[in-house]
Amino acid sequence: MARLRLLSVDRAERALWSWSQSLPRPLLDLSGLERFDAFGLCLLALLGWKAKEEGGLARFLLPEKREVAEELARTGLFQFLSGAFWADQPLPEAQGKGRFLLVRVEREEGIGSLVDAFAETLESRFPFGERTNRILVGAVLELLQNIPHHAGAGREDLMPVGFAALEEASDHLHLAVVDGGVGLRGSLSLNPRYRGVSTAEALELVLVEGASRFDEPGRGGSLKRIREVALRNSGKFYVRSLDGVFFQEDVEWSVGSSFFFPGVQISIRLPKRLFLDGAPG
C-alpha cells in the first residue's frame, strides 16, 4: 500500500482493510500522514484497542511531519493505548489541547461525565451557538449510550468498548463514534421481526425507518433522529457497519457494501456556521 497521506472518513477504507488483516499486530504506517480527521482518529484508537484485546499490540510508524506527529500525540490516543503499542520513535511532547476531543466509552455509568466534557468544549468555543450545541450534545448522548446498549447485544463474551471524537475543522464540526461490536444487523436481528435481514436491509431499517431490537414505545430510533438532524442542517452522515455502508449528503442517501469489519462506525459533519450564529434548521 502506498504511504498514507490522508486518514479521513472519505479515504479510510483501504487503510482499514489493510490494517484489519494484520490484527492482532497491525502495522499502522502513518509515516507519510499529512492530515487526519475525527473518524480516522477513532479508527486508530479502535484498532489499537482491538489489538490489545486480542493479546497483540498496535505498531505505529509515526508521522515524519513533526506538526502532524504532535497533533496526533495531543489527542490522547497513546494514553488510551498505554502499555499496548509500539512506536518507531519517541512520542513527541505536545502542549495544549489541540482541535480534537477523544474519549473512550466502556460503561453506561460513565457516559454522563463524557457528555459533559463535549458540552463544555462546545460552550467554550461557541458561546452563541447554544441551540446547535444542544442538538450536537444530544446526538453525543444517544450515540454513546448505543455502545453499552447495542455493541455487545446478544454476546455475553463481548465487552462493548467504543471511542468518540469531536473535531473542529475550518468549515465544519465533525463527530465520530466507533465500536467493534455486533453491528446494526447483529443488534437488530435479536428482534424476531427482523431476524435474517441482510446488512444493507438493517442499515435502511435502522437509519431510515427507525427500527430497533426493542419493541417498547420510545426505545430505539436514535440513529434515524441524528440522520434527520444532519439532513435538516446541510450536514454529511456516514455509517459503516459489518460489510455495509450508508452515506447521506443533502437529501440523497445510498447504501453500499464493503469488506467485513466488526461493529458500527459513524461520522457526522455539520457546517461550522451553525455553531457561530446559533440558527440550526
PDB file of all heavy atoms in Angstrom, residues 23-28 44-45 47-52 56-61 78 81 84-87:
ATOM      1  N   LEU A  23      -4.369  -7.786  12.267  1.00  0.00           N
ATOM      2  CA  LEU A  23      -4.645  -7.932  13.694  1.00  0.00           C
ATOM      3  C   LEU A  23      -4.220  -9.325  14.146  1.00  0.00           C
ATOM      4  O   LEU A  23      -4.350 -10.281  13.386  1.00  0.00           O
ATOM      5  CB  LEU A  23      -6.138  -7.719  13.972  1.00  0.00           C
ATOM      6  CG  LEU A  23      -6.629  -6.268  14.004  1.00  0.00           C
ATOM      7  CD1 LEU A  23      -8.156  -6.218  13.945  1.00  0.00           C
ATOM      8  CD2 LEU A  23      -6.121  -5.556  15.249  1.00  0.00           C
ATOM      9  N   PRO A  24      -3.678  -9.520  15.360  1.00  0.00           N
ATOM     10  CA  PRO A  24      -3.623  -8.558  16.466  1.00  0.00           C
ATOM     11  C   PRO A  24      -2.330  -7.730  16.543  1.00  0.00           C
ATOM     12  O   PRO A  24      -2.076  -7.113  17.578  1.00  0.00           O
ATOM     13  CB  PRO A  24      -3.742  -9.462  17.692  1.00  0.00           C
ATOM     14  CG  PRO A  24      -3.021 -10.705  17.282  1.00  0.00           C
ATOM     15  CD  PRO A  24      -3.307 -10.882  15.817  1.00  0.00           C
ATOM     16  N   ARG A  25      -1.540  -7.702  15.465  1.00  0.00           N
ATOM     17  CA  ARG A  25      -0.318  -6.901  15.470  1.00  0.00           C
ATOM     18  C   ARG A  25      -0.291  -6.017  14.223  1.00  0.00           C
ATOM     19  O   ARG A  25       0.595  -6.147  13.367  1.00  0.00           O
ATOM     20  CB  ARG A  25       0.920  -7.792  15.522  1.00  0.00           C
ATOM     21  CG  ARG A  25       1.120  -8.517  16.851  1.00  0.00           C
ATOM     22  CD  ARG A  25       2.349  -9.415  16.821  1.00  0.00           C
ATOM     23  NE  ARG A  25       3.569  -8.684  16.496  1.00  0.00           N
ATOM     24  CZ  ARG A  25       4.295  -8.006  17.375  1.00  0.00           C
ATOM     25  NH1 ARG A  25       3.908  -7.956  18.646  1.00  0.00           N
ATOM     26  NH2 ARG A  25       5.396  -7.384  17.008  1.00  0.00           N
ATOM     27  N   PRO A  26      -1.274  -5.117  14.092  1.00  0.00           N
ATOM     28  CA  PRO A  26      -1.319  -4.295  12.884  1.00  0.00           C
ATOM     29  C   PRO A  26      -0.152  -3.314  12.827  1.00  0.00           C
ATOM     30  O   PRO A  26       0.246  -2.749  13.842  1.00  0.00           O
ATOM     31  CB  PRO A  26      -2.657  -3.553  13.024  1.00  0.00           C
ATOM     32  CG  PRO A  26      -2.872  -3.464  14.499  1.00  0.00           C
ATOM     33  CD  PRO A  26      -2.339  -4.767  15.054  1.00  0.00           C
ATOM     34  N   LEU A  27       0.387  -3.144  11.629  1.00  0.00           N
ATOM     35  CA  LEU A  27       1.426  -2.137  11.408  1.00  0.00           C
ATOM     36  C   LEU A  27       0.740  -0.908  10.831  1.00  0.00           C
ATOM     37  O   LEU A  27       0.331  -0.897   9.673  1.00  0.00           O
ATOM     38  CB  LEU A  27       2.498  -2.660  10.450  1.00  0.00           C
ATOM     39  CG  LEU A  27       3.631  -1.666  10.134  1.00  0.00           C
ATOM     40  CD1 LEU A  27       4.397  -1.306  11.405  1.00  0.00           C
ATOM     41  CD2 LEU A  27       4.557  -2.241   9.078  1.00  0.00           C
ATOM     42  N   LEU A  28       0.603   0.128  11.658  1.00  0.00           N
ATOM     43  CA  LEU A  28      -0.099   1.352  11.268  1.00  0.00           C
ATOM     44  C   LEU A  28       0.928   2.347  10.752  1.00  0.00           C
ATOM     45  O   LEU A  28       1.521   3.111  11.523  1.00  0.00           O
ATOM     46  CB  LEU A  28      -0.886   1.910  12.463  1.00  0.00           C
ATOM     47  CG  LEU A  28      -1.790   0.888  13.180  1.00  0.00           C
ATOM     48  CD1 LEU A  28      -2.460   1.506  14.387  1.00  0.00           C
ATOM     49  CD2 LEU A  28      -2.827   0.322  12.235  1.00  0.00           C
ATOM     50  N   LEU A  44      -8.010   4.577  14.498  1.00  0.00           N
ATOM     51  CA  LEU A  44      -6.713   4.245  15.087  1.00  0.00           C
ATOM     52  C   LEU A  44      -6.898   3.755  16.521  1.00  0.00           C
ATOM     53  O   LEU A  44      -6.287   2.762  16.938  1.00  0.00           O
ATOM     54  CB  LEU A  44      -5.790   5.453  15.062  1.00  0.00           C
ATOM     55  CG  LEU A  44      -5.307   5.940  13.692  1.00  0.00           C
ATOM     56  CD1 LEU A  44      -4.500   7.228  13.842  1.00  0.00           C
ATOM     57  CD2 LEU A  44      -4.473   4.867  12.985  1.00  0.00           C
ATOM     58  N   ALA A  45      -7.742   4.455  17.277  1.00  0.00           N
ATOM     59  CA  ALA A  45      -7.988   4.054  18.663  1.00  0.00           C
ATOM     60  C   ALA A  45      -8.640   2.682  18.728  1.00  0.00           C
ATOM     61  O   ALA A  45      -8.259   1.827  19.539  1.00  0.00           O
ATOM     62  CB  ALA A  45      -8.866   5.100  19.355  1.00  0.00           C
ATOM     63  N   LEU A  47      -8.619   0.212  16.436  1.00  0.00           N
ATOM     64  CA  LEU A  47      -7.704  -0.839  16.010  1.00  0.00           C
ATOM     65  C   LEU A  47      -6.669  -1.156  17.101  1.00  0.00           C
ATOM     66  O   LEU A  47      -6.350  -2.316  17.352  1.00  0.00           O
ATOM     67  CB  LEU A  47      -6.998  -0.421  14.723  1.00  0.00           C
ATOM     68  CG  LEU A  47      -7.844  -0.543  13.450  1.00  0.00           C
ATOM     69  CD1 LEU A  47      -7.257   0.316  12.342  1.00  0.00           C
ATOM     70  CD2 LEU A  47      -7.952  -1.995  13.006  1.00  0.00           C
ATOM     71  N   GLY A  48      -6.164  -0.095  17.731  1.00  0.00           N
ATOM     72  CA  GLY A  48      -5.221  -0.305  18.819  1.00  0.00           C
ATOM     73  C   GLY A  48      -5.848  -1.060  19.970  1.00  0.00           C
ATOM     74  O   GLY A  48      -5.221  -1.949  20.571  1.00  0.00           O
ATOM     75  N   TRP A  49      -7.088  -0.729  20.288  1.00  0.00           N
ATOM     76  CA  TRP A  49      -7.778  -1.398  21.390  1.00  0.00           C
ATOM     77  C   TRP A  49      -8.081  -2.847  21.054  1.00  0.00           C
ATOM     78  O   TRP A  49      -7.931  -3.746  21.894  1.00  0.00           O
ATOM     79  CB  TRP A  49      -9.072  -0.649  21.727  1.00  0.00           C
ATOM     80  CG  TRP A  49      -9.669  -1.105  23.021  1.00  0.00           C
ATOM     81  CD1 TRP A  49     -10.686  -1.993  23.206  1.00  0.00           C
ATOM     82  CD2 TRP A  49      -9.258  -0.702  24.336  1.00  0.00           C
ATOM     83  NE1 TRP A  49     -10.947  -2.155  24.543  1.00  0.00           N
ATOM     84  CE2 TRP A  49     -10.088  -1.374  25.256  1.00  0.00           C
ATOM     85  CE3 TRP A  49      -8.288   0.168  24.805  1.00  0.00           C
ATOM     86  CZ2 TRP A  49      -9.965  -1.210  26.632  1.00  0.00           C
ATOM     87  CZ3 TRP A  49      -8.161   0.338  26.178  1.00  0.00           C
ATOM     88  CH2 TRP A  49      -8.995  -0.348  27.069  1.00  0.00           C
ATOM     89  N   LYS A  50      -8.501  -3.117  19.799  1.00  0.00           N
ATOM     90  CA  LYS A  50      -8.783  -4.489  19.395  1.00  0.00           C
ATOM     91  C   LYS A  50      -7.507  -5.332  19.430  1.00  0.00           C
ATOM     92  O   LYS A  50      -7.537  -6.502  19.827  1.00  0.00           O
ATOM     93  CB  LYS A  50      -9.406  -4.514  17.993  1.00  0.00           C
ATOM     94  CG  LYS A  50     -10.859  -4.078  17.954  1.00  0.00           C
ATOM     95  CD  LYS A  50     -11.452  -4.231  16.576  1.00  0.00           C
ATOM     96  CE  LYS A  50     -11.567  -5.683  16.180  1.00  0.00           C
ATOM     97  NZ  LYS A  50     -12.464  -6.455  17.064  1.00  0.00           N
ATOM     98  N   ALA A  51      -6.390  -4.738  19.012  1.00  0.00           N
ATOM     99  CA  ALA A  51      -5.118  -5.462  19.080  1.00  0.00           C
ATOM    100  C   ALA A  51      -4.806  -5.852  20.525  1.00  0.00           C
ATOM    101  O   ALA A  51      -4.388  -6.978  20.816  1.00  0.00           O
ATOM    102  CB  ALA A  51      -3.998  -4.599  18.498  1.00  0.00           C
ATOM    103  N   LYS A  52      -5.048  -4.918  21.445  1.00  0.00           N
ATOM    104  CA  LYS A  52      -4.812  -5.172  22.862  1.00  0.00           C
ATOM    105  C   LYS A  52      -5.730  -6.287  23.371  1.00  0.00           C
ATOM    106  O   LYS A  52      -5.283  -7.198  24.088  1.00  0.00           O
ATOM    107  CB  LYS A  52      -5.040  -3.888  23.657  1.00  0.00           C
ATOM    108  CG  LYS A  52      -4.853  -4.011  25.153  1.00  0.00           C
ATOM    109  CD  LYS A  52      -5.102  -2.672  25.840  1.00  0.00           C
ATOM    110  CE  LYS A  52      -4.926  -2.769  27.339  1.00  0.00           C
ATOM    111  NZ  LYS A  52      -5.162  -1.458  28.005  1.00  0.00           N
ATOM    112  N   GLY A  56      -2.348  -8.811  21.297  1.00  0.00           N
ATOM    113  CA  GLY A  56      -1.247  -8.286  20.495  1.00  0.00           C
ATOM    114  C   GLY A  56      -0.941  -6.851  20.869  1.00  0.00           C
ATOM    115  O   GLY A  56      -1.188  -6.413  22.000  1.00  0.00           O
ATOM    116  N   LEU A  57      -0.428  -6.116  19.924  1.00  0.00           N
ATOM    117  CA  LEU A  57      -0.213  -4.688  20.120  1.00  0.00           C
ATOM    118  C   LEU A  57      -0.144  -4.008  18.770  1.00  0.00           C
ATOM    119  O   LEU A  57       0.270  -4.603  17.763  1.00  0.00           O
ATOM    120  CB  LEU A  57       1.055  -4.405  20.933  1.00  0.00           C
ATOM    121  CG  LEU A  57       2.423  -4.387  20.231  1.00  0.00           C
ATOM    122  CD1 LEU A  57       3.457  -3.813  21.169  1.00  0.00           C
ATOM    123  CD2 LEU A  57       2.838  -5.756  19.757  1.00  0.00           C
ATOM    124  N   ALA A  58      -0.582  -2.766  18.754  1.00  0.00           N
ATOM    125  CA  ALA A  58      -0.519  -1.959  17.535  1.00  0.00           C
ATOM    126  C   ALA A  58       0.885  -1.400  17.385  1.00  0.00           C
ATOM    127  O   ALA A  58       1.481  -0.908  18.345  1.00  0.00           O
ATOM    128  CB  ALA A  58      -1.541  -0.835  17.607  1.00  0.00           C
ATOM    129  N   ARG A  59       1.412  -1.488  16.166  1.00  0.00           N
ATOM    130  CA  ARG A  59       2.748  -0.958  15.874  1.00  0.00           C
ATOM    131  C   ARG A  59       2.602   0.290  15.007  1.00  0.00           C
ATOM    132  O   ARG A  59       2.061   0.210  13.908  1.00  0.00           O
ATOM    133  CB  ARG A  59       3.584  -2.034  15.174  1.00  0.00           C
ATOM    134  CG  ARG A  59       3.801  -3.284  16.025  1.00  0.00           C
ATOM    135  CD  ARG A  59       4.391  -4.413  15.196  1.00  0.00           C
ATOM    136  NE  ARG A  59       3.471  -4.868  14.168  1.00  0.00           N
ATOM    137  CZ  ARG A  59       3.851  -5.480  13.039  1.00  0.00           C
ATOM    138  NH1 ARG A  59       5.139  -5.673  12.789  1.00  0.00           N
ATOM    139  NH2 ARG A  59       2.955  -5.883  12.161  1.00  0.00           N
ATOM    140  N   PHE A  60       3.067   1.416  15.515  1.00  0.00           N
ATOM    141  CA  PHE A  60       2.909   2.700  14.834  1.00  0.00           C
ATOM    142  C   PHE A  60       4.224   3.161  14.210  1.00  0.00           C
ATOM    143  O   PHE A  60       5.258   3.196  14.889  1.00  0.00           O
ATOM    144  CB  PHE A  60       2.447   3.780  15.811  1.00  0.00           C
ATOM    145  CG  PHE A  60       1.020   3.647  16.260  1.00  0.00           C
ATOM    146  CD1 PHE A  60       0.687   2.858  17.359  1.00  0.00           C
ATOM    147  CD2 PHE A  60       0.001   4.318  15.594  1.00  0.00           C
ATOM    148  CE1 PHE A  60      -0.619   2.739  17.776  1.00  0.00           C
ATOM    149  CE2 PHE A  60      -1.313   4.206  16.001  1.00  0.00           C
ATOM    150  CZ  PHE A  60      -1.624   3.416  17.097  1.00  0.00           C
ATOM    151  N   LEU A  61       4.172   3.521  12.930  1.00  0.00           N
ATOM    152  CA  LEU A  61       5.231   4.310  12.308  1.00  0.00           C
ATOM    153  C   LEU A  61       4.726   5.743  12.326  1.00  0.00           C
ATOM    154  O   LEU A  61       3.793   6.091  11.602  1.00  0.00           O
ATOM    155  CB  LEU A  61       5.507   3.845  10.875  1.00  0.00           C
ATOM    156  CG  LEU A  61       5.906   2.370  10.697  1.00  0.00           C
ATOM    157  CD1 LEU A  61       6.249   2.097   9.237  1.00  0.00           C
ATOM    158  CD2 LEU A  61       7.075   1.996  11.606  1.00  0.00           C
ATOM    159  N   PHE A  78      -2.442   7.861  22.541  1.00  0.00           N
ATOM    160  CA  PHE A  78      -1.458   6.923  23.076  1.00  0.00           C
ATOM    161  C   PHE A  78      -1.621   6.701  24.577  1.00  0.00           C
ATOM    162  O   PHE A  78      -1.189   5.669  25.096  1.00  0.00           O
ATOM    163  CB  PHE A  78      -0.044   7.399  22.733  1.00  0.00           C
ATOM    164  CG  PHE A  78       0.183   7.466  21.242  1.00  0.00           C
ATOM    165  CD1 PHE A  78       0.264   8.688  20.591  1.00  0.00           C
ATOM    166  CD2 PHE A  78       0.260   6.304  20.493  1.00  0.00           C
ATOM    167  CE1 PHE A  78       0.452   8.749  19.217  1.00  0.00           C
ATOM    168  CE2 PHE A  78       0.448   6.353  19.123  1.00  0.00           C
ATOM    169  CZ  PHE A  78       0.538   7.580  18.473  1.00  0.00           C
ATOM    170  N   LEU A  81      -3.969   3.806  24.810  1.00  0.00           N
ATOM    171  CA  LEU A  81      -3.349   2.542  24.417  1.00  0.00           C
ATOM    172  C   LEU A  81      -2.099   2.237  25.232  1.00  0.00           C
ATOM    173  O   LEU A  81      -1.310   1.366  24.859  1.00  0.00           O
ATOM    174  CB  LEU A  81      -2.979   2.584  22.925  1.00  0.00           C
ATOM    175  CG  LEU A  81      -4.126   2.874  21.947  1.00  0.00           C
ATOM    176  CD1 LEU A  81      -3.604   2.906  20.523  1.00  0.00           C
ATOM    177  CD2 LEU A  81      -5.243   1.848  22.093  1.00  0.00           C
ATOM    178  N   ALA A  84       0.231  -1.013  25.386  1.00  0.00           N
ATOM    179  CA  ALA A  84      -0.221  -1.967  24.373  1.00  0.00           C
ATOM    180  C   ALA A  84       0.071  -1.475  22.958  1.00  0.00           C
ATOM    181  O   ALA A  84      -0.659  -1.797  22.027  1.00  0.00           O
ATOM    182  CB  ALA A  84      -1.707  -2.243  24.532  1.00  0.00           C
ATOM    183  N   PHE A  85       1.126  -0.672  22.807  1.00  0.00           N
ATOM    184  CA  PHE A  85       1.504  -0.247  21.471  1.00  0.00           C
ATOM    185  C   PHE A  85       3.017  -0.084  21.410  1.00  0.00           C
ATOM    186  O   PHE A  85       3.702   0.043  22.422  1.00  0.00           O
ATOM    187  CB  PHE A  85       0.810   1.060  21.071  1.00  0.00           C
ATOM    188  CG  PHE A  85       1.379   2.285  21.749  1.00  0.00           C
ATOM    189  CD1 PHE A  85       2.393   3.034  21.152  1.00  0.00           C
ATOM    190  CD2 PHE A  85       0.904   2.703  22.981  1.00  0.00           C
ATOM    191  CE1 PHE A  85       2.926   4.149  21.772  1.00  0.00           C
ATOM    192  CE2 PHE A  85       1.424   3.818  23.612  1.00  0.00           C
ATOM    193  CZ  PHE A  85       2.446   4.544  23.001  1.00  0.00           C
ATOM    194  N   TRP A  86       3.522  -0.095  20.188  1.00  0.00           N
ATOM    195  CA  TRP A  86       4.938   0.156  19.920  1.00  0.00           C
ATOM    196  C   TRP A  86       5.020   1.276  18.893  1.00  0.00           C
ATOM    197  O   TRP A  86       4.188   1.361  17.985  1.00  0.00           O
ATOM    198  CB  TRP A  86       5.600  -1.107  19.380  1.00  0.00           C
ATOM    199  CG  TRP A  86       7.003  -0.887  18.853  1.00  0.00           C
ATOM    200  CD1 TRP A  86       8.155  -0.963  19.561  1.00  0.00           C
ATOM    201  CD2 TRP A  86       7.363  -0.559  17.508  1.00  0.00           C
ATOM    202  NE1 TRP A  86       9.238  -0.693  18.740  1.00  0.00           N
ATOM    203  CE2 TRP A  86       8.778  -0.443  17.473  1.00  0.00           C
ATOM    204  CE3 TRP A  86       6.641  -0.341  16.331  1.00  0.00           C
ATOM    205  CZ2 TRP A  86       9.463  -0.116  16.306  1.00  0.00           C
ATOM    206  CZ3 TRP A  86       7.326  -0.016  15.172  1.00  0.00           C
ATOM    207  CH2 TRP A  86       8.732   0.089  15.168  1.00  0.00           C
ATOM    208  N   ALA A  87       5.985   2.164  19.052  1.00  0.00           N
ATOM    209  CA  ALA A  87       6.198   3.240  18.086  1.00  0.00           C
ATOM    210  C   ALA A  87       7.652   3.232  17.651  1.00  0.00           C
ATOM    211  O   ALA A  87       8.547   2.883  18.436  1.00  0.00           O
ATOM    212  CB  ALA A  87       5.828   4.593  18.688  1.00  0.00           C
TER     213      ALA A  87
END
